[in-house]
């Protein structure tokens, strides 16, 4: 009887030691970063910002909707905005399509890795720029914007935060 008990115990220990769930797929699911940023475009939190091209404001808060009042011009509205990046992949969501450019602190042009027009996962966005921005300060150039108020969300992938809704 002792041998039978020892064998039963030998086979039971590995099963008892492994009582956690091995299904880790939920930890590795891809997050739709545009859909996550879209929540901020729709629900905020929001900050109103008057753009002064002579002295551009600086923002460093992301996951916030900025309602920017731009300067009127002959070909639409324009503006300059400085952004301090924490580093990482950024998704810049805008409610209007327009001519957009970025430059780093030295003035070198920064190109978007991808641009989505009318993204399927965010009906509120007219365009989304996917761009890798290492830590530092960048200048955003808005030009030929149809309406005087431009809504923008800077969504940084992988940053923990709460949504306002």
């Amino acid at each position: 009887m002792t041998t039978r008990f020892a064998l039963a115990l030998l086979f039971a220990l590995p099963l008892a030691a492994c009582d956690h769930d091995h299904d880790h797929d939920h930890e590795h699911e891809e997050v739709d970063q545009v859909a996550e940023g879209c929540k901020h475009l729709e629900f905020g939190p929001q900050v109103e910002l008057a753009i002064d091209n002579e002295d551009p404001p600086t923002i460093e808060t992301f996951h916030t909707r900025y309602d920017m009042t731009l300067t009127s011009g002959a070909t639409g509205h324009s503006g300059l905005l400085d952004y301090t990046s924490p580093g990482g992949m950024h998704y810049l969501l805008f409610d209007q399509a327009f001519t957009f450019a970025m430059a780093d602190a030295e003035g070198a042009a920064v190109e978007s890795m991808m641009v989505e027009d009318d993204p399927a996962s965010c009906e509120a966005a007219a365009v989304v720029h996917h761009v890798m921005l290492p830590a530092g300060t960048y200048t955003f150039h808005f030009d030929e914007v149809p309406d005087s108020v431009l809504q923008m969300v800077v969504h940084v992938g992988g940053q923990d935060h709460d949504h306002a809704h």
Side-chain angles (χ1 to χ4, degrees), residues 33-34 36-42 44-47 49 58-68 81-95 100 102 127-133 136 138-140 142 150-159 161 163:
Q33 297 295 335
V34 173
E36 287 296 307
C38 192
K39 294 173 185 175
H40 298 292
L41 194 57
E42 293 178 309
Q46 75 183 56
V47 171
L49 193 59
T58 300
I59 64 168
E60 54 187 44
T61 304
F62 43 89
H63 305 291
T64 298
R65 184 181 78 219
Y66 289 93
D67 296 342
M68 301 178 290
L81 176 71
D82 290 333
Y83 169 65
T84 304
S85 169
M89 189 64 189
H90 287 63
Y91 303 86
L92 308 175
L93 294 86
F94 299 99
D95 73 332
F100 179 62
M102 295 172 281
V127 65
V128 178
H129 290 262
H130 301 234
V131 61
M132 180 61 72
L133 294 177
Y138 298 86
T139 300
F140 294 169
F142 313 111
L150 174 65
Q151 292 183 336
M152 175 187 76
V153 168
V154 177
H155 181 77
V156 181
Q159 298 288 327
H161 65 285
H163 290 122

